[in-house]
Amino acid sequence: MSAIIDITDCPLDIAQAISHCQTPHSGAICFFVGTTRQYTEGKPSGTVVETEYLEYEAHREMAFEQLRKLVDEARLQWNLNRCVAIHRIGRVNICEPSILVAVSAPHRKAAFEACETLVDRIKKEVPIWKREFYKNQPAEWVHPVDAS
């Protein structure tokens, strides 16, 4: 299986990810793009706050190796043809992508399950940390369990 795996401070290329996942053996391509939203609910105590931007930090080598491990496990579990798992670090402005996961598989059910599971596991298991910067409140680090 061919895979693109990266931790980068560059903007994410969605078209390249989709193109990479296209194969004659794939009946389904599923992808997820996580972007910075302008408003976040529940911070603090149920209020809605306006986000200015996010910043991500990572232990690059460890994060890359963990991404590779998760992609390898997904490939085996769902018989994937291709996979992309890229996470951005540094400043990510409103509407910009911070995570991109794309998979191709012979059938849609496997592609959906693999994509969702990879996103969930990346957010929980890969050593990447997110800090949210708000308009009228102090910035705060967001724990992966709290993030959605």
Side-chain angles (χ1 to χ4, degrees), residues 9-148:
D9 55 3
C10 297
L12 305 184
D13 188 339
I14 297 167
Q16 177 191 28
I18 294 169
S19 177
H20 174 76
C21 287
Q22 292 176 315
T23 74
H25 305 289
S26 299
I29 298 172
C30 186
F31 65 95
F32 172 83
V33 179
T35 60
T36 303
R37 62 181 170 262
Q38 185 174 8
Y39 295 98
T40 302
E41 294 180 40
K43 305 209 185 279
S45 62
T47 62
V48 175
V49 295
E50 188 170 359
T51 303
E52 288 189 312
Y53 61 94
L54 304 176
E55 278 187 359
Y56 290 90
E57 294 182 14
H59 187 293
R60 280 182 111 135
E61 290 176 18
M62 287 177 61
F64 183 84
E65 288 307 314
Q66 185 64 20
L67 276 178
R68 179 179 300 287
K69 176 182 175 238
L70 294 176
V71 166
D72 288 345
E73 289 174 5
R75 177 185 58 84
L76 293 173
Q77 184 172 353
W78 286 284
N79 190 32
L80 300 179
N81 294 322
R82 301 269 175 96
C83 187
V84 175
I86 305 172
H87 205 297
R88 191 165 165 194
I89 56 173
R91 182 177 172 141
V92 182
N93 292 317
I94 302 299
C95 296
E96 291 182 340
S98 55
I99 182 173
L100 171 58
V101 174
V103 300
S104 62
H107 304 284
R108 71 178 177 271
K109 184 174 182 179
F112 278 124
E113 289 176 0
C115 189
E116 182 178 27
T117 300
L118 270 172
V119 171
D120 289 345
R121 291 190 69 192
I122 288 168
K123 291 176 81 65
K124 291 178 184 170
E125 300 176 31
V126 177
I128 297 172
W129 303 278
K130 176 171 79 171
R131 190 169 185 199
E132 293 187 4
F133 288 81
Y134 307 113
K135 274 216 168 174
N136 296 314
Q137 294 185 27
E140 68 179 41
W141 291 99
V142 178
H143 190 275
V145 173
D146 300 334
S148 58

